[in-house]
Amino acid sequence: MVAYTGIQGQNILIVSSDPSDPTEGQIWYNSTSNLLKGYANVVINAWAAGGNLNSGRTTLGGAGTQTAALGFGGYSPGISTASESYNGTAWTTTPSLNTARRIVMGAGLQTAALAFGGLGAPGVGTNLTATELWNGTSWTNNPTGLPVGNHAGGTSGTQTATLMFGGAPYTNATASFNGSTWTAVPGTLNTARQSLRGAGTQTAALAFGGSIPGNRTGATELWNGSTWTNNPTGLNISRTALGSAGTQTAALGFGGYSTANTGATELWNGSTWATSPGSMATARYNFGSAVSGTQTAALGFGGYVGGSPYSNLTEEWSGASVQVRTITTS
């Protein structure tokens, strides 16, 4: 006969209802459902189709979250003033921008957004300084604009506390907005670039990807409110004109252009990027993204897929989450 006297372990908690605030790795037996349960990290990491934009276009700006987003400006063809809001299911046309622009930058929420810079008519476009504020109903011109005309820069923050960095042509400049006035900031990016993306706040931002002369970059930098610091490792796929969401310590980078259109998705944990097995269904670049989204709930819309017309497709990201799971012994 086998002796089990030497086996040691921990008692499993027996409860009549699941704990209201379990910790990851915790296990318990629910005596009501007669099930063994645990709280575990379940990786979803998948893109799903959302509602189509009413006006397919590329190089548009974005603001808001996955279920409350705003898309504005762009090229359709022709420089656009179009503005649309997203409720998590469908896009609704809203009052237009005052200034038509493409490769426009954005920040903030669906009810308090900011549109600034970009290229305007005529010809190939004029570098704009114009800044507009959205109050959930209409766009209003801000009396003062960017210190220097810019487009294709990275952004982070809110309508009243925005950070802009990089941009075209290949600048390393940084500027901040306080809700009424832009100010050039002494701290500059270590790698001058355009068509990069950002995440985080005005005082704790992340800059990554973009174009450098003759190539793409995966370079990643962190902003502490006064200076940019190079991170030792960058994106696994160097790319430009990608999408972004999240914070300085938990960000998401997706899509863009590397040696071709890509739908590749990478997750940032504060020090390194990890490639997700989940990739956008439609590889694209120069699309809009919900810049106030999170690493677990992001949104990409429109963009350039190849040829014409420009894309009106929307994709929604569901990332990793911690959930109560039933544990089976079979």
Side-chain angles (χ1 to χ4, degrees):
M1 179 180 293
V2 179
Y4 294 97
T5 55
I7 295 178
Q8 299 181 16
Q10 293 180 339
N11 292 327
I12 294 176
L13 183 68
I14 299 175
V15 294
S16 59
S17 60
D18 295 338
S20 60
D21 188 24
T23 59
E24 187 175 355
Q26 182 177 345
I27 296 174
W28 65 92
Y29 180 78
N30 188 310
S31 60
T32 302
S33 61
N34 294 322
L35 292 173
L36 184 64
K37 295 187 174 185
Y39 202 54
N41 188 28
V42 180
V43 180
I44 301 170
N45 286 358
W47 288 95
N52 291 345
L53 284 163
N54 293 294
S55 174
R57 54 198 191 275
T58 184
T59 63
L60 68 167
T65 65
Q66 186 188 80
T67 57
L70 196 68
F72 41 88
Y75 190 85
S76 63
I79 300 175
S80 178
T81 61
S83 178
E84 302 184 36
S85 63
Y86 188 66
N87 63 3
T89 303
W91 289 94
T92 301
T93 301
T94 60
S96 300
L97 288 165
N98 295 291
T99 301
R101 54 184 94 192
R102 62 189 177 95
I103 324 180
V104 56
M105 296 166 282
L109 300 172
Q110 188 188 66
T111 55
L114 195 67
F116 50 97
L119 286 178
V124 296
T126 302
N127 238 354
L128 299 173
T129 62
T131 298
E132 301 185 38
L133 295 92
W134 171 259
N135 62 6
T137 305
S138 61
W139 290 98
T140 302
N141 287 322
N142 194 66
T144 59
L146 291 167
V148 178
N150 196 2
H151 68 277
T155 67
S156 64
T158 65
Q159 186 192 65
T160 57
T162 305
L163 193 71
M164 181 199 73
F165 36 92
Y170 304 113
T171 178
N172 61 0
T174 303
S176 64
F177 184 71
N178 63 5
S180 60
T181 306
W182 284 98
T183 303
V185 177
T188 55
L189 287 166
N190 294 284
T191 301
R193 54 186 126 165
Q194 62 189 42
S195 299
L196 69 161
R197 289 299 176 264
T201 66
Q202 189 184 64
T203 57
L206 186 72
F208 52 93
S211 295
I212 56 177
N215 210 342
R216 274 75 59 191
T217 181
T220 299
E221 302 186 35
L222 294 92
W223 172 257
N224 64 6
S226 59
T227 58
W228 290 99
T229 302
N230 280 323
N231 192 69
T233 58
L235 289 163
N236 294 294
I237 300 176
S238 295
R239 59 182 108 173
T240 184
L242 63 164
S244 65
T247 66
Q248 189 187 65
T249 57
L252 193 74
F254 49 95
Y257 187 90
S258 182
T259 55
N261 292 5
T262 181
T265 301
E266 299 188 39
L267 296 96
W268 167 258
N269 65 4
S271 60
T272 58
W273 290 97
T275 302
S276 168
S279 184
M280 299 184 84
T282 302
R284 64 182 92 182
Y285 68 98
N286 274 335
F287 55 95
S289 54
V291 296
S292 293
T294 67
Q295 190 186 62
T296 58
L299 190 73
F301 45 91
Y304 187 76
V305 175
S308 184
Y310 300 114
S311 178
N312 65 354
L313 299 175
T314 298
E315 295 191 46
E316 302 174 351
W317 167 262
S318 296
S321 61
V322 182
Q323 299 176 354
V324 173
R325 305 289 288 180
T326 299
I327 299 171
T328 61
T329 56
S330 57

